[in-house]
Amino acid sequence: MMRKSQLFNALYIAAFPVFGYGSYYGVKNGLSKGFIVMVAPFLAILLLHVIDAAYNRRVGRSIKPLFWLCMAYIGTLVLSQVVALKNGIPGVETGNVVFSSLVYAAPFLAAMVVCAHNRHDPEFDFANTLFLALSALLAINILGYFGGVSAVGHSFEGRANLPFLRGLYTGAHLLSIWALMLIVRIRHVAQRPVATALAVLGLLVALYFMLKVNSRLSTMIFLMLFVLFLTKAIKIAKGLYTISLFTLPLLLSFALLVYQVLSTPFFAAILGRVDKEDVTSFNGRSYIWYAVGDWITNDRRGLIFGLGYKGHYTIRLFDEVARLWGVPDSHNFHSHSTFAEVILAQGIVGIALLYVLFWKGFAHYRAEYLSRTSQAPIFAGLCYMLFIWQIDIFCYGTDLGHAIFFAMLAPMCIRSASERRELLQ
């Protein structure tokens, strides 16, 4: 007979491929409908938890203070949507605000429920549960790709457009996180030859699709971390978190160096796209990033609390970029950076909360990695997100990276059974 905890675990694993399918469904049938599909399994977990808690009349003291910090950040996301609705941003409607707010919060809360229902089980491994969930999401995308399902809204000829994801580069990020977690999971090679062989095969498949997606920055960051984790040099690497904070300004400052690296025979062979203007402008993204930098240093309207979701349109920050690209209006633009998107929409308050959450996650899982616990694989995935959130929107709001990052934080927000007993004494 299946235990309740096993039911919650199975629902959570299944929720991620449904989340991916919801992205595809939303582009074809409407944003709000897509959000409903994306969030439905997570809401089912929450509903079952509420029913179970009411039936058993249990009110536990299982929540750690970090939970409220996470909810404070999610609260700023929700508030930014309300501000956008008030400001009349094109495309922002009441239904979108409600459903996007659910997408912000439900995956995190569902992960909390999974951790809470397994806290009495010493064999429970949340890292494994999350890895299986990401594996299921990758599996439906690979099957869809080979089955001829066409990606909607982000199709680029000659590149691997995984269909059940929100964007082309989302596939590269998902593959990188999954592959890095897999590397750390490979242990006791001599004692487990079959499992090791399967893991190596999975890694090769991930690398194949990563190169087919052909994301230059993602590939560079992945390879750097791949070497650090494969050689175990990550154990003695110092200042990784601090360096990650400056990923965006470092890239802009060393754009020519990035071009020289990508022009080497190795990268030219595997990536191919090494046009100087394209590389040094990061496919045109630098124009947006410089506009955001100019707003931070010179304009500063709304800098403390933000301008709301798509607040750039309120002050027409990207209009010049739109003219440069030959686009009639800039309201559909985003900044191609979670950092830039958060500071525009949620201001210094929102970005400070996110900095703290990344630090908390990094410090916690680094200790888990150094102690070689079952949660060590999460550290590898989190390290990748430390760098990529600065230069891609992957970790923002309704994107997949937001759900993954807050899933990683969920175990840190739940007291273990022993911690709860100590609290009650």
Side-chain angles (χ1 to χ4, degrees), residues 2-9 52 56 58 117:
M2 179 179 286
R3 301 196 306 270
K4 284 186 293 185
S5 59
Q6 292 174 322
L7 173 62
F8 283 113
N9 297 351
D52 176 65
N56 290 286
R58 289 186 283 110
H117 278 270

PDB file of all heavy atoms in Angstrom, residues 2-9 52 56 58 117:
ATOM      1  N   MET A   2       0.552   2.225  -0.827  1.00  0.00           N
ATOM      2  CA  MET A   2       1.347   3.441  -0.935  1.00  0.00           C
ATOM      3  C   MET A   2       1.126   4.341   0.269  1.00  0.00           C
ATOM      4  O   MET A   2       0.002   4.638   0.651  1.00  0.00           O
ATOM      5  CB  MET A   2       0.976   4.195  -2.217  1.00  0.00           C
ATOM      6  CG  MET A   2       1.747   5.495  -2.412  1.00  0.00           C
ATOM      7  SD  MET A   2       1.311   6.371  -3.940  1.00  0.00           S
ATOM      8  CE  MET A   2       2.116   5.347  -5.169  1.00  0.00           C
ATOM      9  N   ARG A   3       2.225   4.774   0.878  1.00  0.00           N
ATOM     10  CA  ARG A   3       2.124   5.733   1.964  1.00  0.00           C
ATOM     11  C   ARG A   3       1.794   7.113   1.417  1.00  0.00           C
ATOM     12  O   ARG A   3       2.012   7.409   0.258  1.00  0.00           O
ATOM     13  CB  ARG A   3       3.431   5.786   2.757  1.00  0.00           C
ATOM     14  CG  ARG A   3       3.845   4.464   3.373  1.00  0.00           C
ATOM     15  CD  ARG A   3       4.923   4.698   4.445  1.00  0.00           C
ATOM     16  NE  ARG A   3       6.036   5.456   3.926  1.00  0.00           N
ATOM     17  CZ  ARG A   3       7.118   4.916   3.368  1.00  0.00           C
ATOM     18  NH1 ARG A   3       7.199   3.600   3.262  1.00  0.00           N
ATOM     19  NH2 ARG A   3       8.108   5.670   2.929  1.00  0.00           N
ATOM     20  N   LYS A   4       1.280   7.986   2.320  1.00  0.00           N
ATOM     21  CA  LYS A   4       0.961   9.347   1.898  1.00  0.00           C
ATOM     22  C   LYS A   4       2.193  10.062   1.368  1.00  0.00           C
ATOM     23  O   LYS A   4       2.126  10.788   0.367  1.00  0.00           O
ATOM     24  CB  LYS A   4       0.358  10.133   3.071  1.00  0.00           C
ATOM     25  CG  LYS A   4      -1.077   9.799   3.382  1.00  0.00           C
ATOM     26  CD  LYS A   4      -1.639  10.717   4.446  1.00  0.00           C
ATOM     27  CE  LYS A   4      -0.959  10.478   5.787  1.00  0.00           C
ATOM     28  NZ  LYS A   4      -1.576  11.267   6.864  1.00  0.00           N
ATOM     29  N   SER A   5       3.316   9.874   2.035  1.00  0.00           N
ATOM     30  CA  SER A   5       4.537  10.549   1.601  1.00  0.00           C
ATOM     31  C   SER A   5       4.933  10.112   0.193  1.00  0.00           C
ATOM     32  O   SER A   5       5.384  10.927  -0.619  1.00  0.00           O
ATOM     33  CB  SER A   5       5.681  10.263   2.577  1.00  0.00           C
ATOM     34  OG  SER A   5       5.938   8.871   2.678  1.00  0.00           O
ATOM     35  N   GLN A   6       4.732   8.824  -0.129  1.00  0.00           N
ATOM     36  CA  GLN A   6       5.057   8.334  -1.464  1.00  0.00           C
ATOM     37  C   GLN A   6       4.135   8.939  -2.515  1.00  0.00           C
ATOM     38  O   GLN A   6       4.557   9.233  -3.638  1.00  0.00           O
ATOM     39  CB  GLN A   6       4.967   6.804  -1.494  1.00  0.00           C
ATOM     40  CG  GLN A   6       6.037   6.114  -0.665  1.00  0.00           C
ATOM     41  CD  GLN A   6       5.837   4.611  -0.594  1.00  0.00           C
ATOM     42  OE1 GLN A   6       4.711   4.123  -0.511  1.00  0.00           O
ATOM     43  NE2 GLN A   6       6.941   3.874  -0.656  1.00  0.00           N
ATOM     44  N   LEU A   7       2.867   9.132  -2.143  1.00  0.00           N
ATOM     45  CA  LEU A   7       1.922   9.775  -3.058  1.00  0.00           C
ATOM     46  C   LEU A   7       2.349  11.207  -3.352  1.00  0.00           C
ATOM     47  O   LEU A   7       2.353  11.635  -4.525  1.00  0.00           O
ATOM     48  CB  LEU A   7       0.517   9.759  -2.448  1.00  0.00           C
ATOM     49  CG  LEU A   7      -0.559  10.546  -3.216  1.00  0.00           C
ATOM     50  CD1 LEU A   7      -0.755   9.961  -4.604  1.00  0.00           C
ATOM     51  CD2 LEU A   7      -1.875  10.550  -2.434  1.00  0.00           C
ATOM     52  N   PHE A   8       2.727  11.944  -2.313  1.00  0.00           N
ATOM     53  CA  PHE A   8       3.175  13.318  -2.510  1.00  0.00           C
ATOM     54  C   PHE A   8       4.445  13.356  -3.357  1.00  0.00           C
ATOM     55  O   PHE A   8       4.592  14.222  -4.234  1.00  0.00           O
ATOM     56  CB  PHE A   8       3.419  14.001  -1.164  1.00  0.00           C
ATOM     57  CG  PHE A   8       2.159  14.436  -0.473  1.00  0.00           C
ATOM     58  CD1 PHE A   8       1.750  13.849   0.711  1.00  0.00           C
ATOM     59  CD2 PHE A   8       1.371  15.445  -1.008  1.00  0.00           C
ATOM     60  CE1 PHE A   8       0.589  14.248   1.342  1.00  0.00           C
ATOM     61  CE2 PHE A   8       0.213  15.860  -0.381  1.00  0.00           C
ATOM     62  CZ  PHE A   8      -0.187  15.260   0.796  1.00  0.00           C
ATOM     63  N   ASN A   9       5.347  12.423  -3.115  1.00  0.00           N
ATOM     64  CA  ASN A   9       6.589  12.371  -3.895  1.00  0.00           C
ATOM     65  C   ASN A   9       6.300  12.116  -5.377  1.00  0.00           C
ATOM     66  O   ASN A   9       6.877  12.765  -6.259  1.00  0.00           O
ATOM     67  CB  ASN A   9       7.511  11.271  -3.368  1.00  0.00           C
ATOM     68  CG  ASN A   9       7.964  11.520  -1.942  1.00  0.00           C
ATOM     69  OD1 ASN A   9       7.740  12.588  -1.387  1.00  0.00           O
ATOM     70  ND2 ASN A   9       8.595  10.523  -1.339  1.00  0.00           N
ATOM     71  N   ASP A  52      -5.576  16.574   4.359  1.00  0.00           N
ATOM     72  CA  ASP A  52      -4.938  15.672   5.319  1.00  0.00           C
ATOM     73  C   ASP A  52      -4.740  16.351   6.671  1.00  0.00           C
ATOM     74  O   ASP A  52      -5.008  15.759   7.723  1.00  0.00           O
ATOM     75  CB  ASP A  52      -3.586  15.218   4.763  1.00  0.00           C
ATOM     76  CG  ASP A  52      -2.823  14.349   5.737  1.00  0.00           C
ATOM     77  OD1 ASP A  52      -3.290  13.241   6.038  1.00  0.00           O
ATOM     78  OD2 ASP A  52      -1.759  14.800   6.214  1.00  0.00           O
ATOM     79  N   ASN A  56      -6.686  15.180  10.130  1.00  0.00           N
ATOM     80  CA  ASN A  56      -5.918  14.718  11.284  1.00  0.00           C
ATOM     81  C   ASN A  56      -5.796  15.782  12.376  1.00  0.00           C
ATOM     82  O   ASN A  56      -5.191  15.530  13.413  1.00  0.00           O
ATOM     83  CB  ASN A  56      -4.514  14.284  10.841  1.00  0.00           C
ATOM     84  CG  ASN A  56      -4.554  13.013  10.017  1.00  0.00           C
ATOM     85  OD1 ASN A  56      -4.762  11.931  10.536  1.00  0.00           O
ATOM     86  ND2 ASN A  56      -4.381  13.144   8.705  1.00  0.00           N
ATOM     87  N   ARG A  58      -3.944  18.410  12.602  1.00  0.00           N
ATOM     88  CA  ARG A  58      -2.550  18.647  12.970  1.00  0.00           C
ATOM     89  C   ARG A  58      -2.110  20.041  12.560  1.00  0.00           C
ATOM     90  O   ARG A  58      -2.287  20.446  11.428  1.00  0.00           O
ATOM     91  CB  ARG A  58      -1.621  17.622  12.289  1.00  0.00           C
ATOM     92  CG  ARG A  58      -1.748  16.235  12.851  1.00  0.00           C
ATOM     93  CD  ARG A  58      -0.702  15.319  12.252  1.00  0.00           C
ATOM     94  NE  ARG A  58      -1.073  14.911  10.911  1.00  0.00           N
ATOM     95  CZ  ARG A  58      -0.455  15.313   9.816  1.00  0.00           C
ATOM     96  NH1 ARG A  58       0.555  16.149   9.893  1.00  0.00           N
ATOM     97  NH2 ARG A  58      -0.830  14.904   8.621  1.00  0.00           N
ATOM     98  N   HIS A 117       6.144  16.034   4.723  1.00  0.00           N
ATOM     99  CA  HIS A 117       5.563  14.687   4.848  1.00  0.00           C
ATOM    100  C   HIS A 117       6.634  13.600   4.884  1.00  0.00           C
ATOM    101  O   HIS A 117       6.307  12.442   5.186  1.00  0.00           O
ATOM    102  CB  HIS A 117       4.591  14.430   3.704  1.00  0.00           C
ATOM    103  CG  HIS A 117       3.231  15.003   3.936  1.00  0.00           C
ATOM    104  ND1 HIS A 117       2.205  14.314   4.550  1.00  0.00           N
ATOM    105  CD2 HIS A 117       2.736  16.241   3.676  1.00  0.00           C
ATOM    106  CE1 HIS A 117       1.133  15.081   4.638  1.00  0.00           C
ATOM    107  NE2 HIS A 117       1.426  16.259   4.110  1.00  0.00           N
TER     108      HIS A 117
END
